[in-house]
Short mmCIF file of all heavy atoms in Angstrom, two decimals:
data_model
loop_
_atom_site.label_atom_id
_atom_site.label_comp_id
_atom_site.label_asym_id
_atom_site.label_seq_id
_atom_site.Cartn_x
_atom_site.Cartn_y
_atom_site.Cartn_z
N ARG P 115 58.32 -0.49 -30.19
CA ARG P 115 58.05 0.70 -31.00
C ARG P 115 56.92 0.48 -31.98
O ARG P 115 56.20 1.40 -32.34
CB ARG P 115 59.32 1.08 -31.79
CG ARG P 115 60.14 2.15 -31.09
CD ARG P 115 61.43 2.36 -31.83
NE ARG P 115 62.52 1.81 -31.05
CZ ARG P 115 63.72 1.53 -31.55
NH1 ARG P 115 63.97 1.71 -32.84
NH2 ARG P 115 64.67 1.08 -30.77
N GLU P 116 56.76 -0.77 -32.43
CA GLU P 116 55.75 -1.07 -33.45
C GLU P 116 54.43 -1.52 -32.84
O GLU P 116 53.45 -1.67 -33.54
CB GLU P 116 56.25 -2.18 -34.39
CG GLU P 116 57.59 -1.90 -35.05
CD GLU P 116 57.59 -0.59 -35.81
OE1 GLU P 116 56.55 -0.23 -36.37
OE2 GLU P 116 58.64 0.08 -35.80
N VAL P 117 54.45 -1.79 -31.52
CA VAL P 117 53.25 -2.32 -30.86
C VAL P 117 52.79 -1.32 -29.81
O VAL P 117 53.50 -1.05 -28.86
CB VAL P 117 53.56 -3.68 -30.19
CG1 VAL P 117 52.32 -4.21 -29.50
CG2 VAL P 117 54.06 -4.67 -31.22
N GLY P 118 51.60 -0.76 -30.00
CA GLY P 118 51.07 0.16 -29.01
C GLY P 118 50.29 -0.61 -27.97
O GLY P 118 49.75 -1.67 -28.25
N MET P 119 50.26 -0.06 -26.74
CA MET P 119 49.50 -0.76 -25.71
C MET P 119 48.67 0.23 -24.90
O MET P 119 49.15 1.29 -24.52
CB MET P 119 50.43 -1.53 -24.77
CG MET P 119 49.66 -2.36 -23.76
SD MET P 119 50.65 -3.75 -23.21
CE MET P 119 49.42 -4.80 -22.48
N VAL P 120 47.42 -0.15 -24.62
CA VAL P 120 46.53 0.66 -23.80
C VAL P 120 46.17 -0.17 -22.57
O VAL P 120 45.80 -1.33 -22.69
CB VAL P 120 45.26 1.04 -24.60
CG1 VAL P 120 44.29 1.80 -23.72
CG2 VAL P 120 45.65 1.87 -25.82
N PHE P 121 46.34 0.45 -21.39
CA PHE P 121 46.20 -0.29 -20.14
C PHE P 121 44.86 0.00 -19.47
O PHE P 121 44.23 1.02 -19.72
CB PHE P 121 47.31 0.12 -19.16
CG PHE P 121 48.70 -0.16 -19.68
CD1 PHE P 121 49.36 0.76 -20.47
CD2 PHE P 121 49.35 -1.34 -19.36
CE1 PHE P 121 50.64 0.52 -20.93
CE2 PHE P 121 50.63 -1.59 -19.83
CZ PHE P 121 51.28 -0.66 -20.61
N GLN P 122 44.51 -0.88 -18.54
CA GLN P 122 43.27 -0.69 -17.79
C GLN P 122 43.31 0.63 -17.01
O GLN P 122 42.34 1.36 -16.97
CB GLN P 122 43.09 -1.86 -16.82
CG GLN P 122 41.82 -1.76 -16.00
CD GLN P 122 41.64 -2.97 -15.10
OE1 GLN P 122 42.48 -3.85 -15.02
NE2 GLN P 122 40.52 -3.01 -14.42
N HIS P 123 44.46 0.91 -16.39
CA HIS P 123 44.55 2.13 -15.58
C HIS P 123 45.29 3.24 -16.30
O HIS P 123 45.96 4.06 -15.67
CB HIS P 123 45.20 1.81 -14.23
CG HIS P 123 44.34 0.92 -13.38
ND1 HIS P 123 43.17 1.34 -12.83
CD2 HIS P 123 44.47 -0.38 -13.05
CE1 HIS P 123 42.60 0.34 -12.17
NE2 HIS P 123 43.38 -0.71 -12.29
N PHE P 124 45.24 3.26 -17.60
CA PHE P 124 45.75 4.31 -18.49
C PHE P 124 47.26 4.44 -18.47
O PHE P 124 47.89 4.59 -19.51
CB PHE P 124 45.12 5.69 -18.18
CG PHE P 124 43.73 5.65 -17.61
CD1 PHE P 124 43.39 6.43 -16.52
CD2 PHE P 124 42.77 4.82 -18.16
CE1 PHE P 124 42.10 6.37 -15.99
CE2 PHE P 124 41.48 4.76 -17.63
CZ PHE P 124 41.15 5.53 -16.55
N ASN P 125 47.85 4.47 -17.25
CA ASN P 125 49.31 4.64 -17.10
C ASN P 125 49.84 5.86 -17.82
O ASN P 125 50.92 5.83 -18.40
CB ASN P 125 50.05 3.38 -17.57
CG ASN P 125 49.70 2.18 -16.72
OD1 ASN P 125 48.95 2.30 -15.75
ND2 ASN P 125 50.25 1.04 -17.06
N LEU P 126 49.07 6.95 -17.78
CA LEU P 126 49.61 8.21 -18.29
C LEU P 126 50.66 8.70 -17.30
O LEU P 126 50.68 8.30 -16.15
CB LEU P 126 48.49 9.25 -18.42
CG LEU P 126 47.44 8.93 -19.47
CD1 LEU P 126 46.36 10.01 -19.46
CD2 LEU P 126 48.06 8.84 -20.86
N PHE P 127 51.53 9.61 -17.77
CA PHE P 127 52.58 10.13 -16.90
C PHE P 127 52.06 11.40 -16.22
O PHE P 127 51.89 12.43 -16.86
CB PHE P 127 53.84 10.41 -17.71
CG PHE P 127 54.29 9.21 -18.50
CD1 PHE P 127 54.58 9.31 -19.85
CD2 PHE P 127 54.41 7.97 -17.89
CE1 PHE P 127 54.98 8.20 -20.58
CE2 PHE P 127 54.80 6.85 -18.61
CZ PHE P 127 55.09 6.97 -19.96
N PRO P 128 51.77 11.33 -14.92
CA PRO P 128 51.05 12.42 -14.26
C PRO P 128 51.83 13.72 -14.17
O PRO P 128 51.25 14.77 -13.97
CB PRO P 128 50.76 11.87 -12.86
CG PRO P 128 51.75 10.78 -12.66
CD PRO P 128 52.04 10.20 -14.00
N HIS P 129 53.18 13.65 -14.31
CA HIS P 129 53.97 14.88 -14.17
C HIS P 129 54.11 15.61 -15.49
O HIS P 129 54.74 16.66 -15.55
CB HIS P 129 55.35 14.54 -13.59
CG HIS P 129 56.17 13.64 -14.46
ND1 HIS P 129 55.73 12.40 -14.84
CD2 HIS P 129 57.37 13.81 -15.04
CE1 HIS P 129 56.64 11.83 -15.61
NE2 HIS P 129 57.64 12.66 -15.74
N LEU P 130 53.56 15.05 -16.57
CA LEU P 130 53.67 15.69 -17.88
C LEU P 130 52.28 16.09 -18.36
O LEU P 130 51.29 15.46 -18.01
CB LEU P 130 54.30 14.72 -18.89
CG LEU P 130 55.68 14.18 -18.55
CD1 LEU P 130 56.12 13.16 -19.60
CD2 LEU P 130 56.69 15.31 -18.49
N THR P 131 52.23 17.16 -19.20
CA THR P 131 50.93 17.54 -19.75
C THR P 131 50.49 16.50 -20.77
O THR P 131 51.26 15.62 -21.16
CB THR P 131 51.02 18.91 -20.46
OG1 THR P 131 51.91 18.77 -21.57
CG2 THR P 131 51.53 19.99 -19.53
#
Side-chain angles (χ1 to χ4, degrees):
Chain P
R115 264 174 252 162
E116 306 304 326
V117 179
M119 185 155 197
V120 176
F121 300 87
Q122 181 177 4
H123 293 291
F124 331 134
N125 297 358
L126 294 178
F127 306 130
H129 62 302
L130 302 176
T131 64

